[in-house]
Amino acid sequence: MLEAQKFLDQVFVNLERAGVDVAGFELDHLCYRVETLEEYRRFKTELVGKANLLHEAVIGGRPIATYELRTPIHYQRSGIQRKISILELPSPKPGSPYRSGLEHVEFVIDE
């Protein structure tokens, strides 16, 4: 996922600019959005051999799959080091169009 480096660069720059310190929090997962149900199915097929399906469930009327990457994404920038093993893949919500690509990260906090 070559685009992960660029995406994560922007995430951490935005957090820094906003004064949000996430150094003590685990980066739980990356989310990759797709535009169509067909693309969701194709992406799932492409993940075979690259990731293990942890869970797939219908949430909010659409399937969402969570994978553990066999080769985690290693991110490093200006003293920030992260290893990301989990990828969330939601299928599109009817009537809510999204462009395909990385959309968000989630951090685990203790509050």
Side-chain angles (χ1 to χ4, degrees):
M1 294 187 86
L2 296 176
E3 66 186 74
Q5 180 74 32
K6 184 177 176 183
F7 175 78
L8 290 166
D9 282 345
Q10 193 61 54
V11 166
F12 284 103
V13 164
N14 289 343
L15 287 169
E16 187 176 311
R17 284 183 185 153
V20 178
D21 181 8
V22 295
F25 301 130
E26 176 187 353
L27 197 164
D28 181 66
H29 70 267
L30 285 170
C31 176
Y32 189 90
R33 290 274 189 175
V34 293
E35 291 183 47
T36 66
L37 190 54
E38 294 78 29
E39 187 178 4
Y40 175 78
R41 291 179 183 130
R42 186 177 70 246
F43 200 88
K44 283 179 56 180
T45 300
E46 290 174 12
L47 285 171
V48 172
K50 297 176 186 171
N52 299 317
L53 178 63
L54 297 175
H55 184 73
E56 184 174 27
V58 175
I59 300 171
R62 65 187 169 146
I64 297 177
T66 304
Y67 290 88
E68 181 176 19
L69 300 170
R70 291 193 177 143
T71 303
I73 296 166
H74 292 275
Y75 176 76
Q76 187 171 348
R77 177 190 158 273
S78 305
I80 299 168
Q81 291 187 349
R82 299 290 178 146
K83 183 174 89 171
I84 305 148
S85 299
I86 305 298
L87 179 70
E88 178 182 75
L89 178 66
S91 67
K93 274 185 186 175
S96 296
Y98 286 95
R99 291 185 14 210
S100 295
L102 292 168
E103 182 198 54
H104 71 261
V105 300
E106 289 186 22
F107 292 91
V108 177
I109 60 172
D110 59 1
E111 296 179 18

